[in-house]
Amino acid sequence: MNKTFDRYSSLIYMIIGVFFILESRGISESAYGSNVGSDIFPTILGAFLILLSLRLFYETFQYVDQDKGKETLDYKRFLIILTSAVAYALFIESLGFILTTFLFLLISFQVMDRKNLIKSIILSACFSGGVYYLFVEVLEGSLPGFPIWF
């Protein structure tokens, strides 16, 4: 952990969170066929981002100075997750929320820990299905479920 990097990144995350909240105010409050407005989730996301950035900023004051050894950055993992996030954003409309979220989470979990494939599959499936059910059935929102050809 790098104290300086974490402090600056927490401030950047806080600015992004404020930006999310301010920009979500410009989104219409309700969507056709949905009781949950389009502005709800960006507002909640912005609030969580602000809270987490405040927590990160607070934790930087509790860091213990360690010897300044050279850290090796894992660019391969970063690029794999970044590429899968971009692919997720590109294919969510055509492939649907459940399938793209499942694949994104599975790839991300496997990049982090290759040992537990079955656990990764179960967690990815439960999370993507659970969030879809919660948003569509409980909150009566609308998400692209499965692709038409599925």
Side-chain angles (χ1 to χ4, degrees):
M1 290 187 243
N2 187 340
K3 184 190 304 188
T4 306
F5 176 79
D6 286 349
R7 280 190 185 162
Y8 286 122
S9 64
S10 69
L11 293 175
I12 291 170
Y13 294 143
M14 186 181 305
I15 291 168
I16 292 171
V18 169
F19 179 74
F20 267 53
I21 291 173
L22 292 176
E23 289 299 314
S24 69
R25 298 294 170 209
I27 300 173
S28 64
E29 292 186 10
S30 66
Y32 177 73
S34 175
N35 290 336
V36 178
S38 304
D39 62 335
I40 297 295
F41 283 109
T43 304
I44 292 171
L45 179 66
F48 277 131
L49 196 55
I50 290 171
L51 290 174
L52 291 173
S53 67
L54 289 173
R55 168 94 190 234
L56 178 62
F57 190 76
Y58 171 75
E59 286 179 1
T60 59
F61 293 107
Q62 298 177 356
Y63 285 175
V64 178
D65 285 334
Q66 299 174 357
D67 53 303
K68 302 280 185 178
K70 193 98 161 148
E71 292 183 29
T72 58
L73 301 176
D74 196 353
Y75 291 110
K76 182 180 176 183
R77 284 182 175 183
F78 173 74
L79 289 175
I80 291 171
I81 292 177
L82 179 67
T83 305
S84 63
V86 170
Y88 177 78
L90 291 174
F91 293 116
I92 192 165
E93 288 286 330
S94 59
L95 294 179
F97 175 82
I98 295 174
L99 186 59
T100 53
T101 304
F102 171 77
L103 291 174
F104 172 72
L105 290 175
L106 183 62
I107 290 168
S108 298
F109 290 155
Q110 285 301 295
V111 166
M112 302 288 218
D113 183 22
R114 289 190 172 263
K115 297 175 190 170
N116 299 321
L117 179 63
I118 301 299
K119 186 177 176 181
S120 297
I121 291 172
I122 292 170
L123 282 173
S124 300
C126 289
F127 183 81
S128 60
V131 168
Y132 182 80
Y133 175 78
L134 178 70
F135 187 75
V136 172
E137 298 297 326
V138 175
L139 297 175
E140 297 177 357
S142 60
L143 281 174
F146 286 106
I148 296 171
W149 49 266
F150 194 66

